[in-house]
């Protein structure tokens, strides 16, 4: 049996709406000759949206620079060796704010964004179901139970990556911004003080367990991330469902980046503990380059789901509060529940915004749509169908 | 209409469910069938209608347009993929906006799934699972020229009308020659429901 040929290169990413690619595919229509409607629509981002997004990016990155300057007590606590990381986080802030603004400017996202926030800030909702939001955040964003429903192995691997990355972010971001400092009155320890914005938070002995954990937090994060990312990488090479339509830049690069960051980070510890610092400078540069690349990549690739995913909580909250009132919209034909009334109304509004003139169809369940179309075909197109 | 695509001829469908079983074998959604086989007048007629994703071209992929998470990919060759698992938030916008009633949703997994024209197969030049097993040719995969060579005189339509809106699709349906210049009715506006006139 011969190896199958390489599948056609699939789409690059563009937002909002949908993503389109640039190469031809199996259906004999090279896109260079006839780009799809979506491609044209997406590539011409309205000037007002790109202007707003640029402004949002500039404001957020400007605020972060101010927070770095003031948080590090006018750069007194700023570690200049970490400057490339700090600069990368400023670019990250710009990119995330830019992409986020573009994303929530699309009709579908804009409407759900508004509904989610209004549900969140509704005093009435909070009074009636005060535990709904914390529960959703814990089960949806923390424990990610929905991933367990997809696959237990993927859930476990994702949890390892998630908690590893959360731990790493909590340690590294404040460190690179000069918000955290570890100082020792004796100069070389073992007694250390952890200060946040110059204020002493806790003192610890670097030779006891707490001290070990404090100084090896990033090693622990790496140990969590490596098996999780390795599982996903293995799956991307073996699972035929995952392989279908996967793209190197979108699906593989994030996993490779996580593994490279984690391995080089562990090697830094290995170098200092076992090699007396041998190769440390080279490893430090390799680690820095991989981290900087990953931070700048976040807004433009797969990692943007970190920013997008919390929107799902807003969507769930919007539906949840209406479900409490039994505001369920039933299919006009069969009476099957479709979703909540406000949700259907919101969807129709989205479809109208997008000039999809069949928004009335949203009031029928999928099966009834198919049956009604079948009946129309039967009676109006091909009577021999019977 | 795409170069190589699925042609649906409901007149040939015998409702055997072979396509439904075969669809479960598709690598991109193993164990779950994405094709719909509906008996449109159950109890009175054996008429059945297989529905795969029509891969809408104009307006392109309404499911992708209404998606708030940019989760639905449209490849360069016009194939509308199922939701990106990383991004899909399970809001069901696509499920309820699709004029053909195609996408399915797993509310526990917060994930939309739908026919992706067996991209794991069609990307390698193989026919989709459903068309491979259909015993009557109600689901045919190939080019229009190949279809017409096998079935001389057959005509197809790739435009559907829903109320006053037309949707042009990548997948086409077989229609009688005299109907080929008209868009295929999509069922909207709904004229009657369960014997009652609902036009007013």
């Amino acid at each position: 049996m011969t190896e199958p040929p390489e599948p056609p290169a699939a789409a690059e990413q563009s937002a909002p709406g949908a993503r389109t690619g640039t190469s031809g595919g199996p259906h004999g229509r090279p896109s260079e000759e006839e780009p799809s409607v979506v491609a044209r629509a997406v590539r011409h981002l309205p000037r007002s949206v790109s202007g707003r997004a640029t402004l949002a990016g500039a404001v957020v990155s400007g605020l972060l620079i101010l927070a770095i300057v003031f948080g590090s007590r006018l750069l007194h606590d700023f570690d200049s060796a970490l400057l490339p990381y700090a600069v990368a986080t400023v670019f990250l802030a710009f990119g995330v704010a830019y992409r986020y603004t573009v994303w929530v400017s699309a009709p579908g996202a804009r409407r759900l964004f508004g509904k989610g926030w209004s549900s969140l800030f509704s005093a009435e909702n909070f009074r009636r179901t005060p535990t709904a939001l914390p529960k959703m955040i814990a089960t949806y964003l923390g424990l990610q139970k929905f991933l367990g429903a997809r696959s237990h192995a993927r859930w476990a691997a994702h949890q390892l990556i998630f908690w590893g990355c959360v731990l790493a972010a909590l340690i590294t971001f404040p460190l690179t911004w000069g918000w955290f400092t570890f100082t020792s009155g004796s100069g070389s320890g073992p007694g250390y003080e952890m200060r946040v914005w110059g204020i002493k938070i806790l003192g610890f002995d670097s030779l006891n367990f707490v001290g070990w954990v404090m100084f090896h937090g990033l090693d622990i994060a790496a140990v969590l991330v490596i098996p999780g990312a390795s599982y996903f990488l293995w799956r991307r090479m073996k699972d035929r469902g995952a392989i279908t339509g996967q793209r190197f830049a979108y699906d593989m690069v994030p996993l490779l980046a996580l593994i490279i960051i984690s391995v080089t980070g562990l090697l830094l510890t290995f170098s200092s503990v076992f090699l007396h610092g041998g190769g440390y400078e080279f490893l430090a540069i390799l680690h820095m380059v991989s981290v900087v690349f990953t931070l700048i990549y976040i807004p433009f690739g797969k990692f943007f789901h970190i920013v997008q995913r919390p929107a799902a909580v807003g969507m769930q909250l919007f539906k949840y509060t209406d479900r409490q009132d039994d505001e369920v919209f039933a299919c006009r034909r069969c009476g099957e529940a479709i979703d909540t009334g406000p949700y259907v109304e919101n969807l129709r509004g989205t479809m109208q915004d997008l000039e999809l003139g069949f928004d009335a169809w949203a009031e029928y369940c999928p099966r009834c749509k198919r049956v009604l179309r079948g009946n129309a075909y039967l009676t109006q197109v091909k009577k021999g169908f019977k | 209409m795409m170069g190589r695509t699925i042609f649906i001829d409901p007149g040939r469908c015998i409702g055997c469910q072979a396509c439904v079983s075969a669809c479960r074998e598709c690598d991109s959604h193993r164990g779950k069938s994405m094709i719909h086989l509906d008996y449109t007048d159950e109890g009175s007629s054996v008429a059945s209608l297989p529905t795969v994703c029509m891969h809408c071209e104009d307006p392109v992929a309404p499911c992708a347009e209404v998606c708030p998470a940019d989760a639905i990919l449209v490849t360069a060759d016009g194939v509308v993929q199922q939701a990106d698992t990383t991004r899909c938030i399970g809001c069901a916008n696509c499920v309820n906006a699709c004029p053909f009633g195609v996408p399915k949703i797993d509310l526990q997994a917060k994930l939309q799934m739908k026919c992706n024209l067996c991209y794991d197969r069609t990307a390698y030049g193989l026919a989709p699972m459903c068309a491979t097993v259909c015993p009557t040719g109600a689901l045919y995969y190939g080019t229009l020229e190949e279809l017409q060579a096998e079935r001389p005189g057959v005509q197809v339509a790739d435009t559907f009308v829903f109320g006053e809106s037309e949707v042009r699709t990548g997948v086409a349906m077989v229609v009688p020659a005299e109907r080929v210049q008209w868009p295929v009715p999509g069922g909207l506006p709904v004229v009657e429901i369960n014997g009652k006139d609902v036009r007013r």
Side-chain angles (χ1 to χ4, degrees):
Chain A
M1 195 172 147
T2 55
E3 283 293 307
E6 277 291 305
E12 288 302 314
Q13 181 188 328
S14 49
R19 290 169 284 137
T20 61
T22 52
S23 63
H27 306 287
R29 198 185 61 176
S31 63
E32 285 84 357
E33 291 168 16
E34 191 189 343
S36 73
V37 178
V38 164
R40 285 199 295 271
V42 166
R43 283 171 193 156
H44 294 111
L45 197 64
R47 195 170 287 176
S48 61
V49 174
S50 67
R52 209 165 50 235
T54 306
L55 182 67
V59 168
V60 170
S61 50
L63 287 174
L64 179 59
I65 291 170
L66 288 177
I68 291 172
V69 171
F70 289 107
S72 61
R73 298 193 297 156
L74 298 179
L75 303 182
H76 179 263
D77 293 337
F78 189 81
D79 186 349
S80 57
L82 302 178
L83 182 66
Y85 294 98
V87 171
T89 61
V90 173
F91 277 100
L92 167 69
F94 181 91
V96 166
Y98 184 97
R99 177 83 194 276
Y100 195 91
T101 309
V102 171
W103 169 47
V104 297
S105 298
R110 186 179 63 235
R111 282 181 170 271
L112 269 183
F113 182 79
K115 295 290 181 191
W117 282 107
S118 60
S119 301
L120 182 68
F121 288 120
S122 161
E124 169 72 9
N125 287 345
F126 182 74
R127 189 181 54 75
R128 286 170 53 200
T129 52
T131 57
L133 182 64
K135 251 188 207 167
M136 280 180 197
I137 290 173
T139 58
Y140 199 80
L141 299 182
L143 296 174
Q144 299 155 352
K145 283 176 71 177
F146 66 100
L147 286 178
R150 296 178 187 183
S151 150
H152 294 309
R154 279 158 66 191
W155 171 81
H158 196 271
Q159 281 281 292
L160 287 173
I161 293 179
F162 173 74
W163 290 111
C165 289
V166 166
L167 179 62
L170 287 176
I171 294 169
T172 54
F173 279 72
L175 269 180
T176 58
W177 294 336
W179 290 6
F180 284 3
T181 50
F182 294 91
T183 53
S184 172
S186 63
S188 58
Y192 274 86
E193 287 178 353
M194 181 187 170
R195 293 175 179 271
V196 178
W197 300 313
I199 302 161
K200 183 185 170 185
I201 299 296
L202 61 96
F204 60 91
D205 185 336
S206 64
L207 297 178
N208 68 18
F209 179 72
V210 175
W212 187 89
V213 169
M214 292 293 286
F215 285 149
H216 290 84
L218 288 177
D219 291 330
I220 296 167
V223 168
L224 290 172
V225 167
I226 290 170
S230 301
Y231 167 77
F232 280 120
L233 199 60
W234 172 82
R235 182 175 165 270
R236 292 239 154 248
M237 289 186 281
K238 290 287 178 193
D239 186 290
R240 290 196 286 180
I243 289 169
T244 304
Q246 77 181 3
R247 292 150 290 156
F248 184 78
Y250 187 76
D251 296 301
M252 295 294 204
V253 166
L255 297 172
L256 293 173
L258 288 175
I259 292 171
I260 291 170
I261 289 172
S262 305
V263 170
T264 53
L266 280 180
L267 284 176
L268 283 171
T269 303
F270 183 82
S271 164
S272 64
V273 173
F274 297 106
L275 304 180
H276 306 293
Y280 196 93
E281 284 183 7
F282 170 73
L283 285 170
I285 289 173
L286 193 60
H287 184 69
M288 184 196 72
V289 168
S290 58
V291 171
V292 167
F293 165 80
T294 305
L295 289 175
I296 293 173
Y297 173 86
I298 283 176
F300 306 107
K302 191 164 208 164
F303 286 135
F304 192 65
H305 81 272
I306 301 164
V307 183
Q308 277 188 317
R309 182 59 63 178
V313 173
M315 181 272 296
Q316 293 291 327
L317 200 63
F318 166 49
K319 290 189 178 187
Y320 178 82
T321 46
D322 289 319
R323 282 210 184 94
Q324 303 310 300
D325 297 330
D326 289 331
E327 273 196 67
V328 173
F329 192 96
C331 170
R332 290 209 177 279
R333 179 171 177 270
C334 70
E336 182 86 10
I338 294 178
D339 213 307
T340 66
Y343 161 81
V344 173
E345 192 187 328
N346 182 63
L347 175 60
R348 288 194 65 174
T350 302
M351 294 175 75
Q352 286 160 9
D353 292 346
L354 291 162
E355 297 174 4
L356 298 172
F358 43 86
D359 60 284
W361 227 194
E363 298 187 349
Y364 293 84
C365 71
R367 182 176 177 275
C368 283
K369 283 181 202 170
R370 298 192 301 269
V371 168
L372 287 166
R373 184 166 59 86
N375 280 331
Y377 185 91
L378 182 65
T379 54
Q380 299 170 45
V381 180
K382 200 174 175 187
K383 294 192 170 58
F385 183 30
K386 248 175 185 170
Chain B
M1 187 162 56
M2 291 179 259
R4 291 181 73 79
T5 189
I6 292 180
F7 295 94
I8 305 169
D9 186 353
R12 286 175 173 244
C13 181
I14 55 172
C16 67
Q17 305 258 5
C19 54
V20 176
S21 297
C23 187
R24 285 191 201 102
E25 304 300 321
C26 179
D27 273 332
S28 50
H29 47 79
R30 276 193 304 264
K32 290 174 183 164
S33 185
M34 293 297 127
I35 194 169
H36 302 277
L37 187 67
D38 298 290
Y39 301 93
T40 57
D41 194 10
E42 214 165 0
S44 310
S45 162
V46 293
S48 52
L49 174 74
T51 301
V52 296
C53 176
M54 302 302 281
H55 300 281
C56 301
E57 291 184 346
D58 185 18
V60 68
C63 55
E65 291 195 46
V66 300
C67 177
D70 300 344
I72 297 173
L73 167 87
V74 185
T75 51
D77 45 337
V79 177
V80 184
Q81 301 286 339
Q82 59 188 357
D84 182 325
T85 53
T86 315
R87 296 180 169 202
C88 183
I89 58 173
C91 69
N93 268 12
C94 53
V95 174
N96 294 304
C98 172
F100 296 97
V102 168
K104 292 183 173 183
I105 191 160
D106 183 336
L107 289 174
Q108 294 302 312
K110 303 272 186 292
L111 186 63
Q112 175 256 36
M113 296 181 93
K114 74 169 193 65
C115 155
N116 63 355
L117 204 69
C118 281
Y119 208 61
D120 57 312
R121 293 173 59 82
T122 51
Y124 293 96
L126 300 169
M129 295 300 287
C130 57
T132 305
V133 301
C134 181
T136 60
L139 294 159
Y140 178 91
Y141 181 74
T143 62
L144 179 59
E145 292 73 31
E146 288 167 350
L147 177 73
Q148 288 176 329
E150 274 193 30
R151 303 176 195 174
V154 73
Q155 296 293 334
V156 301
D158 63 356
T159 305
F160 296 78
V161 62
F162 299 93
E164 292 177 2
S165 300
E166 287 191 0
V167 177
R168 193 164 53 78
T169 58
V171 168
M173 280 184 95
V174 171
V175 293
E178 68 275 14
R179 287 283 319 194
V180 78
Q181 71 273 33
W182 304 106
V184 179
L188 190 74
V190 178
V191 177
E192 59 93 354
I193 293 175
N194 303 330
K196 280 188 189 168
D197 192 326
V198 294
R199 276 174 289 189
R200 280 177 297 157

